[in-house]
Amino acid sequence: MRESARTEQEPRQRVLAALDADPGLTLGAEWADFGARFDRHFPDLERLFRSLYGGREDWLDQLAALVVECAKSWRVRPAELKSLDARRETEPDWYQSREMLGGVCYVDRYAGSLAGLRDRIPYFRELGLTYLHVMPLFLAPEPNSDGGYAVSSYRDVDPKLGTMAELREIASELRENGISLVVDFIFNHTSDEHAWAQRAAAGDPEFEDYYWIFPDRTMPDAYERTVREIFPDNHPGSFVQLADGRWVWATFHTFQWDLNYSNPAVFRAMAAEMLFLANQGVEILRMDAVAFIWKQLGTACESLPEAHELLRAFNAVCRLAAPSLLFKSEAIVHPDEVVQYIDPAECQLSYNPLEMALTWEALATRDASLLAQALKRRHNLPDGTAWVNYVRSHDDIGWTFADEEAAELGINGYDHRRFLNSFYVNRFPGSFARGVAFQDNPRTGDCRISGTTASLCGLESGSPDAIRRVLLAHSIAISTGGIPLIYLGDEVGQLNDYSYADEPGHEQDSRWVHRPRYPAERYADRDDPGTPAGAIFAGLTAMLAVRAKTPAFAGNRLIDFETNNPHVLGYQRPADDGAVLALANFADSPEHVDATTLSGLEGDAVDLLTQETVRIADGLTVPPQEFRWLAVRPA
């Protein structure tokens, strides 16, 4: 055999030998299924693992152990999940459906417990959810847990919420009701109370290598020359000192220790946690803080090439042992970097932070130019992927647009962000918004924005246009393509909850203002269109019903449409027999799209929300803060 061929065969042979030799692994008839996927996906896993860890003498042993763990995970994967795997293989674009609708909530605040969440399933069906993202519900430090993003165990649910067995049962019940369970995979860091961190703190050499721990400030100082501070109010720099004088990397909060992925044992350990969650019935993992997972001296330690290789390697692990599991990226970085994580082999789904931020920007400025530019340049994605579009999330709103693109429109990025921050925290004359600053720096004007959709749109301040703004913002997320995601409670107009400051562990984090508890009175009003809750609920459900029965709203594809009016956003969703033309007026006044602009279309269109024929040959006027979805044909 040629030397090159022998070298190529060695990893495969070593791994197969490890599978045969493991006394706890008896796949039997199931080997055919696992073996077919092994043949298909092992070359990718081997290539990625070699690229990340090939410089280590033990890399091949680590790879063999990883595949053995995958096989063991597959052996115990429940039959109903293996059935799901097979079904999804025949319909790989299932998440591109026009009927997809996501909801997100904190279990404790929305339902009290997992038992309470189960009681909400009939309402989820009423709303039409097909995707439920429950915010981190794992064991975490008390009272400070960064909203659950400091995980002390990936295999234990917070006892106040329930048990992992309950989560597994709810995942199954959701699936029976056509709803996929989504949870966060916080894989950049653990809490300092995690068993691994506790053993590292105690000086166990094996677990010291799970984290970035240094005896003095020499290496931390070297890294911090090029690494930015994320939460300077929490701690300056990126390291915190331990009681024994050592220093540990903590990008976000002092109690969140970054994992050291240059150690393949860490990759194996986190892959095992990931597969454990997949076997509980989780169908989508939100990959938290993906940009930060690889560190390299002399760089910003964000969005390095190895971060992408790690995600692809985790994906290859899934294809072996949990083939229907999908990843959703959370990368709140420059728009050029966000899209780099979106790939069928990396993250099949991604939050769309640019569309979210620029929707709020357009509401404040009454000008849709930046949003239109973003949709034209940055919306369309590779096949096999989809955006998750949202008006707001559990997190703060940051202004993630590209300064160089804003400059093309005559906008100074620094000044514009200061204006937007001022506007949304009611420091700008005439603002309708009632947001709260997060990480506020009065000296520089820099901050990010907290607030529920209704409070930011003016419902709290009594603005007569508030409900129209809420619906306008959601119309963008629902119609641009991808999976629309609603922060549950926003569909009935929940307001800011300022009592967060009285809750232990929350008082220093203004983001809790937009994580209110279940707004029971507003849900009780949802069927009364004479109430704000009812008007918002009726408007949203009408949009969702239209989306579900309109083929053009499936998938992601979007074609920009220049309205020649800066206040009116336009875009088309193409269909076999024409297109849906969406027009959204962000102004406080009626705005006209002239006949010349619409002259490439037939003179009559159908308003999908009213089913009325609309004459557009002479142009179309859109009322203030309203939108139109028009079925059109080329002239």
Side-chain angles (χ1 to χ4, degrees):
M1 181 183 293
R2 290 184 298 107
E3 184 63 30
S4 60
R6 184 180 298 110
T7 302
E8 290 171 4
Q9 286 295 315
E10 183 183 4
R12 179 184 175 84
Q13 292 170 347
R14 286 279 293 276
V15 169
L16 289 174
L19 288 167
D20 289 339
D22 192 284
L25 184 60
T26 308
L27 285 172
E30 293 181 336
W31 172 250
D33 193 2
F34 184 85
R37 291 199 308 280
F38 176 84
D39 289 341
R40 190 181 320 143
H41 300 293
F42 177 73
D44 286 336
L45 178 59
E46 186 269 328
R47 173 180 53 81
L48 292 161
F49 209 81
R50 183 196 295 266
S51 175
L52 290 164
Y53 304 117
R56 294 174 56 111
E57 291 184 359
D58 65 342
W59 80 273
L60 199 46
D61 292 333
Q62 294 276 1
L63 176 61
L66 173 64
V67 177
V68 168
E69 290 159 3
C70 289
K72 288 181 176 179
S73 180
W74 171 253
R75 180 171 57 83
V76 299
R77 186 161 171 79
E80 66 174 302
L81 296 177
K82 290 180 177 177
S83 176
L84 176 69
D85 295 333
R87 189 165 70 251
R88 291 280 163 79
E89 192 168 19
T90 66
E91 47 181 32
D93 60 348
W94 63 273
Y95 52 87
Q96 304 275 9
S97 168
R98 61 186 185 270
E99 296 180 1
M100 285 294 296
L101 174 64
V104 58
C105 67
Y106 277 95
V107 172
D108 57 339
R109 302 184 86 75
Y110 191 76
S113 66
L114 286 173
L117 189 71
R118 170 177 272 156
D119 293 339
R120 303 270 191 245
I121 291 177
Y123 170 70
F124 297 154
R125 292 197 62 176
E126 174 192 342
L127 185 58
L129 291 192
T130 60
Y131 160 125
L132 177 65
H133 179 181
V134 293
M135 300 300 293
L137 70 171
F138 305 113
L139 191 66
E142 293 291 350
N144 296 306
S145 69
D146 187 28
Y149 284 90
V151 177
S152 299
S153 171
Y154 297 89
R155 301 191 181 217
D156 294 292
V157 169
D158 182 338
K160 297 192 299 297
L161 302 179
T163 66
M164 186 59 73
E166 284 183 278
L167 183 64
R168 184 167 58 250
E169 292 166 2
I170 287 173
S172 180
E173 190 167 339
L174 287 168
R175 192 161 47 255
E176 291 171 2
N177 284 276
I179 303 171
S180 298
L181 179 63
V182 185
V183 303
D184 293 80
F185 190 53
I186 298 100
F187 72 131
N188 176 72
H189 49 261
T190 72
S191 90
D192 58 2
E193 293 183 4
H194 194 286
W196 302 341
Q198 292 290 293
R199 293 180 68 172
D204 185 326
E206 178 184 355
F207 289 94
E208 283 180 319
D209 285 344
Y210 271 44
Y211 301 92
W212 296 89
I213 298 177
F214 299 101
D216 55 41
R217 284 293 309 181
T218 303
M219 291 307 298
D221 287 343
Y223 277 106
E224 285 181 353
R225 292 189 186 103
T226 53
V227 173
R228 68 185 173 108
E229 294 179 334
I230 303 300
F231 289 150
D233 289 354
N234 172 51
H235 67 93
S238 295
F239 291 82
V240 295
Q241 191 168 28
L242 304 182
D244 61 9
R246 293 179 297 164
W247 293 83
V248 61
W249 201 315
T251 294
F252 298 102
H253 292 280
T254 58
F255 47 84
Q256 291 167 308
W257 293 4
D258 286 38
L259 288 163
N260 175 13
Y261 279 100
S262 68
N263 177 1
V266 170
F267 182 94
R268 282 179 46 212
M270 291 303 288
E273 304 305 275
M274 177 182 72
L275 294 179
F276 172 82
L277 293 173
N279 281 358
Q280 308 312 301
V282 173
E283 297 183 31
I284 300 173
L285 289 176
R286 172 193 178 274
M287 307 299 279
D288 180 62
V290 293
F292 296 89
I293 57 177
W294 191 268
K295 325 295 189 192
Q296 182 176 323
L297 187 64
T299 73
C301 297
E302 294 183 41
S303 294
L304 297 175
E306 292 84 355
H308 297 279
E309 291 190 337
L310 278 171
L311 283 168
R312 288 173 178 263
F314 277 123
N315 243 297
V317 165
C318 293
R319 303 292 77 80
L320 290 177
S324 60
L325 187 70
L326 298 182
F327 291 171
K328 175 176 65 171
S329 75
E330 187 263 349
I332 311 303
V333 290
H334 189 283
D336 286 342
E337 295 178 21
V338 171
V339 75
Q340 293 173 11
Y341 293 94
I342 309 170
D343 187 278
E346 198 160 327
C347 291
Q348 299 83 11
L349 306 175
S350 174
Y351 283 116
N352 194 348
L354 183 62
E355 180 179 289
M356 178 275 297
L358 293 183
T359 298
W360 289 109
E361 188 271 346
L363 286 171
T365 61
R366 283 73 162 179
D367 189 316
S369 300
L370 266 177
L371 180 53
Q373 180 194 66
L375 290 180
K376 179 178 181 178
R377 296 182 180 178
R378 299 187 179 275
H379 181 82
N380 290 307
L381 294 177
D383 291 340
T385 64
W387 287 118
V388 175
N389 296 316
Y390 58 110
V391 175
R392 65 99 176 178
S393 70
H394 75 286
D395 219 340
D396 54 275
I397 298 172
W399 310 110
T400 60
F401 57 84
D403 285 6
E404 62 274 19
E405 293 181 344
E408 294 177 25
L409 300 174
I411 297 170
N412 179 285
Y414 175 80
D415 291 341
H416 200 51
R417 288 185 180 87
R418 291 193 65 177
F419 156 72
L420 292 168
N421 288 333
S422 178
F423 185 92
Y424 278 107
V425 299
N426 193 28
R427 296 173 185 166
F428 189 84
S431 171
F432 52 76
R434 294 297 180 268
V436 178
F438 176 67
Q439 295 285 328
D440 193 13
N441 187 331
R443 181 179 60 81
T444 64
D446 186 38
C447 70
R448 299 192 291 279
I449 306 301
S450 298
T452 67
T453 297
S455 288
L456 293 176
C457 283
L459 193 62
E460 184 178 323
S461 66
S463 169
D465 305 321
I467 292 172
R468 291 201 299 273
R469 291 191 193 97
V470 170
L471 296 176
L472 178 65
H474 279 96
S475 79
I476 308 301
I478 289 170
S479 67
T480 45
I483 303 173
L485 180 66
I486 296 172
Y487 193 98
L488 291 171
D490 278 9
E491 77 276 22
V492 292
Q494 64 189 347
L495 300 177
N496 288 345
D497 177 11
Y498 298 100
S499 68
Y500 80 91
D502 300 324
E503 298 181 34
H506 295 176
E507 59 275 7
Q508 300 301 317
D509 188 343
S510 70
R511 292 172 298 180
W512 288 102
V513 79
H514 60 228
R515 303 166 183 170
R517 298 190 183 278
Y518 182 79
E521 292 182 2
R522 290 186 175 272
Y523 276 108
D525 287 341
R526 70 181 183 274
D527 294 323
D528 181 357
T531 64
I536 292 170
F537 189 78
L540 279 175
T541 52
M543 284 185 237
L544 293 168
V546 168
R547 180 179 183 271
K549 64 184 181 183
T550 305
F553 284 132
N556 286 299
R557 190 170 173 233
L558 178 147
I559 300 172
D560 65 290
F561 184 87
E562 175 55 64
T563 66
N564 296 306
N565 183 328
H567 305 290
V568 181
L569 177 69
Y571 48 91
Q572 297 180 80
R573 300 298 311 282
D576 292 341
D577 58 348
V580 173
L581 171 63
L583 299 172
N585 178 16
F586 284 85
D588 296 333
S589 57
E591 294 294 329
H592 191 69
V593 179
D594 63 37
T596 302
T597 299
L598 298 170
S599 61
L601 305 172
E602 287 186 357
D604 289 328
V606 176
D607 186 320
L608 294 178
L609 285 157
T610 65
Q611 290 302 305
E612 295 177 353
T613 298
V614 179
R615 186 68 178 166
I616 62 173
D618 300 323
L620 182 69
T621 298
V622 184
Q625 298 106 19
E626 291 195 10
F627 64 96
R628 296 289 182 265
W629 292 346
L630 304 173
V632 297
R633 295 176 183 272

